[in-house]
Amino acid sequence: MQTELSTRLGVEHAVFGFTPFPAVAAAISRAGGFGVLGAVRYGAGEELARDLDWMQEHTDGTPYGLDVVMPAKKVEGVTEADIEAMIPEGHRAFVRDTLAKHGVPELAEGEASGWRITGWLEQVARSQLDVAFDYPVKLLANALGSPPADVVDRAHDHGILVAALAGSARHARHHKEAGLDVVVAQGYEAGGHTGEIASMVLTPEVVRAVDPLPVLAAGGIGSGEQIAAGLALGAQGVWIGSLWLTTEEAELHSAALTRKLLAAGSGDTVRSRALTGKPARQLRTEWTDAWEDRDGPDPLPMPLQGLLVAEAVSRIQKYEVEPLLGTPVGQIVGRMDSVRPVQTVFDELTRGFERAIDRVNRIAGRA
């Protein structure tokens, strides 16, 4: 599964695996793919440095990347406290009432929320980059549009390729105009923030829009046959995220959440603003249902919604309150029916790819 882009980055297979877990990212790189560590779960740069040190020790010299969340436009002088003060009391009351309805215990006195969205704030993301540029990161991806111009320049000065996710051809053209090197065409089926166009339609549209820039196909990809389809549509690789959540190396720390993922079908996700304020595909739960209720408030815009629900999400996760317990995940969750090592998943991807190529060759009379 080699392409011009994978050869340029020095990886055996053009499979880019996004994950918030260092152990998963390292295992993807060791398996011959390109592991991409998501930085949004980290706070200050020191936390990220700890895990990048670990990555250095466990990737066996193979390349890897980093995914951050930075807005293209900078807002000066706005702190997390300033944003917190903008959250309406009615929304806070709604969160309290929903948690109380399900008997969710409070955190212990003095215990900080374990799920924070500080990584969405530009000053935090910049501190993470200050750390990351000291490591041999080969690709910097941004999940929230094109990074600021100075960030793109800094990355290029360090020999790092810059990528960004796009949910439409229009977004993709903006990335090309901003001087980015790679565009990730993320379809509606994907976990996390998505647009409204399905991968089968989006991928070739983006390929045409940004030619000759390389494009990665993303959204609903969880088999080797789907990888082959993405390459047939003109992509130079695939970007896979959800599939790794049920690997042995994933650090979900929740048996209940793992059970829910393994039991879920492809129709058990919903595109909801309940988590961050922007539409993000996730497991459908009574928490997402509550935010869809006509009698409740509308979710707040990003980043207000994420700050509003941060402690609530921590409490739900800590106490494993199953009716409310969820996570960002794509429609491919219906294929995630067992817990396996990353290497086993990767082996299945490569075998499926070979089957697809053999099938096409037979159809074309070449086998």
Side-chain angles (χ1 to χ4, degrees), residues 298-358:
D298 289 334
L300 298 169
M302 180 185 284
L304 299 179
Q305 182 72 12
L307 288 170
L308 168 67
V309 305
E311 182 179 318
V313 172
S314 285
R315 289 164 61 185
I316 292 166
Q317 291 176 346
K318 177 178 179 178
Y319 300 109
E320 297 192 328
V321 183
E322 291 204 34
L324 303 177
L325 187 62
T327 185
V329 69
Q331 291 179 330
I332 198 65
V333 69
R335 192 180 182 90
M336 297 155 51
D337 56 7
S338 64
V339 177
R340 300 163 295 167
V342 166
Q343 183 66 62
T344 298
V345 174
F346 221 94
D347 290 343
E348 291 183 0
L349 292 175
T350 55
R351 286 195 296 268
F353 181 81
E354 291 170 355
R355 286 194 301 269
I357 297 302
D358 288 344

Side-chain angles (χ1 to χ4, degrees), residues 229-268:
L231 299 186
L233 292 173
Q236 285 200 30
V238 295
W239 179 276
I240 298 176
S242 298
L243 191 65
W244 316 109
L245 287 173
T246 52
T247 56
E248 288 183 358
E249 293 88 345
E251 302 162 31
L252 286 180
H253 302 305
S254 173
L257 181 54
T258 299
R259 286 196 302 271
K260 292 188 74 171
L261 288 169
L262 296 176
S266 57
D268 292 326

